[in-house]
Amino acid sequence: MQIFLARNNVQAGPYNLEQLNIMLASGEVVLDDLMWHEGLEQWQRVGTLTNNQTVYTPAPANGAEVNDSIINNVTIFPEDNASGSQTDKPVSLDRLYGKPERKDTANNTKVDMTTNRHHTPHHNVSLNKTQLNKAATNQDKVIGDVVLAPIMSRVLATAINGLLYLLAILPLVMALTKMDVDYSKFQNIQDMDAAYQYSMTLMESLPSSTLMMSQIMVFGLFVLQLVFIALRGQSLGKLITGIRVVDQTTHHLPSFTKLIGMRTLLLFIIYNLLFSFTSFLGFVVVAVHYYMASKSPENIGWHDKLAKTLVVKADSSQLTKKPTLK
C-alpha cells in the first residue's frame, strides 16, 4: 500500500503502512494531517481514518480509483521539476511541515502526487526526533502531537496555586492569629448568616493597613494569574510545573471563552462557594476531579469535560495559531 500525506497544501509520499504508524507514534504525523491511498475516493483527515488513534489499520482495499480533483490544491515547487524529469524520492517531512531543509534531506528531489502515485515507497525514511519525543517518556500518554500532563503534575500545580493564595492572605492570617477568634461560629452550617456577621465583625477589628495589604496582594495575584492563563494557557502553578491547558480538538490554546470564562472564572466561583459553605466539600470536589482524570484515557476530569480542554506538557508550538488545512 502506498500512502500519501498532505499538510498546508503540500503533499509527501509515498510511505508504507509501517512507516505511517511509526510517524504517527512519534508525532511527526498528526491527526489533523490529510491522507490518501488507493481505495479512498478523496483526501481525508488522518484522525478520521484512525478513529483519532495513533495507529492506522486500513480496511481491505476495494480497488476504487482516485479522483484527480483531490490533488488540485497540492503545491508543486518550481525547483522540484527543474530538470523536467521525475524521481522516486518522496517529499521530505521537513518540506511537508514547512520547515527549513536539513543537510540530510536538502538533496532529496521532490515530486507531486500526480507523478509519484505508482512509485515504489522509499524505505530509508529518516524520522526526526521532535520536541514531542524529547518531552515524552515511556510512562507518558501521547495523543496526536501532545503529551498529556501526569496527574501528579496537575495536583502539584493546584497545590502551588493554593500556596500562592495563602501567601497573599498571609498578613490577614497573621493578624487573625493575634485575635481571640471563636471558630465554633463557623461550624454551624445551618446558620450561615451568623457566621457572615461574625466574620464582618472580625474584619472591622483588624487594622486598615493589614486589610489593604491583603486586598492588594490577593488582587495582584488574581490579575497575574489571569494574564498568564490568557496568554499562555498556564496558571502560575502550571507554569512552574511545565504543563498547559489546550483545546481538545486543535491541541492549541483554547478560545478566550473556554479558557477564561469556563475554566477559570466559572471554576473560581464554584470553588469559592464550595469552600465558603464547607472546606471539606471543596476538597472532595477537587479529589473527584483528579480521580476522574486518573481513570480517563485522556486524563479528562470534570473541569476538562466542562471546558472541552486537555492538560498537556507545555510546548512552544501550542502557542502558535493553528493553520487551516484545506
Side-chain angles (χ1 to χ4, degrees), residues 253-265:
L253 283 185
S255 66
F256 185 85
T257 301
K258 286 184 179 181
L259 195 57
I260 301 298
M262 299 294 292
R263 196 178 170 98
T264 302
L265 297 181

Side-chain angles (χ1 to χ4, degrees), residues 33-49:
D33 288 339
L34 300 178
M35 179 168 67
W36 177 87
H37 59 72
E38 292 284 352
L40 297 179
E41 295 183 356
Q42 60 184 1
W43 287 96
Q44 294 192 42
R45 179 177 173 271
V46 173
T48 301
L49 294 171

Side-chain angles (χ1 to χ4, degrees), residues 9-298:
N9 294 335
V10 181
Q11 172 261 323
Y15 304 106
N16 61 31
L17 182 60
E18 179 182 3
Q19 291 168 340
L20 172 65
N21 284 329
I22 290 174
M23 291 186 288
L24 277 169
S26 69
E28 290 186 274
V29 173
V30 299
L31 299 182
D32 284 335
D33 288 339
L34 300 178
M35 179 168 67
W36 177 87
H37 59 72
E38 292 284 352
L40 297 179
E41 295 183 356
Q42 60 184 1
W43 287 96
Q44 294 192 42
R45 179 177 173 271
V46 173
T48 301
L49 294 171
T50 66
N51 292 321
N52 290 322
Q53 303 298 313
T54 54
V55 61
Y56 180 44
T57 306
N62 58 14
E65 292 295 326
V66 64
N67 183 350
D68 282 337
S69 65
I70 65 178
I71 63 173
N72 289 340
N73 290 327
V74 175
T75 301
I76 303 176
F77 292 91
E79 66 271 22
D80 293 343
N81 297 309
S83 62
S85 62
Q86 308 292 349
T87 73
D88 62 354
K89 293 184 179 180
V91 175
S92 71
L93 286 172
D94 285 334
R95 177 63 65 87
L96 176 64
Y97 283 25
K99 300 177 181 176
E101 292 278 352
R102 296 165 300 168
K103 292 183 179 180
D104 58 338
T105 60
N107 294 326
N108 289 349
T109 304
K110 317 300 184 298
V111 294
D112 70 283
M113 180 175 166
T114 59
T115 58
N116 66 10
R117 183 181 303 163
H118 302 294
H119 288 169
T120 302
H122 195 282
H123 293 282
N124 297 322
V125 175
S126 175
L127 300 179
N128 303 328
K129 181 147 182 134
T130 62
Q131 290 181 329
L132 176 65
N133 301 110
K134 296 176 183 178
T137 65
N138 292 334
Q139 290 76 34
D140 284 328
K141 297 180 183 178
V142 179
I143 295 182
D145 56 349
V146 295
V147 182
L148 296 180
I151 298 298
M152 289 310 300
S153 294
R154 297 174 63 174
V155 173
L156 179 59
T158 300
I160 291 173
N161 286 330
L163 179 61
L164 291 173
Y165 176 74
L166 290 177
L167 290 175
I169 64 172
L170 186 59
L172 184 61
V173 173
M174 295 287 290
L176 288 173
T177 58
K178 299 176 181 180
M179 300 176 62
D180 185 17
V181 180
D182 184 3
Y183 293 100
S184 64
K185 292 187 179 294
F186 299 102
Q187 296 173 357
N188 185 5
I189 61 175
Q190 295 180 345
D191 193 0
M192 297 301 296
D193 185 61
Y196 175 77
Q197 294 297 330
Y198 182 64
S199 65
M200 290 294 98
T201 301
L202 289 176
M203 293 299 104
E204 292 172 359
S205 302
L206 292 172
S208 58
S209 58
T210 301
L211 283 175
M212 182 175 294
M213 182 180 299
S214 292
Q215 290 171 350
I216 291 173
M217 292 177 67
V218 170
F219 180 76
L221 175 62
F222 185 72
V223 170
L224 192 61
Q225 292 277 37
L226 283 182
V227 169
F228 274 93
I229 290 171
L231 297 181
R232 301 182 59 85
Q234 296 172 297
S235 63
L236 293 177
K238 286 184 172 63
L239 181 66
I240 293 171
T241 54
I243 61 179
R244 171 179 288 121
V245 175
V246 297
D247 188 273
Q248 284 184 11
T249 303
T250 66
H251 294 173
H252 284 61
L253 283 185
S255 66
F256 185 85
T257 301
K258 286 184 179 181
L259 195 57
I260 301 298
M262 299 294 292
R263 196 178 170 98
T264 302
L265 297 181
L266 182 58
L267 289 180
F268 179 78
I269 294 171
I270 291 173
Y271 279 111
N272 259 337
L273 292 175
L274 289 172
F275 278 98
S276 296
F277 184 70
T278 168
S279 296
F280 175 76
L281 182 59
F283 284 116
V284 167
V285 175
V286 172
V288 168
H289 166 67
Y290 287 121
Y291 177 79
M292 288 178 59
S294 68
K295 296 300 181 181
S296 166
E298 297 182 336

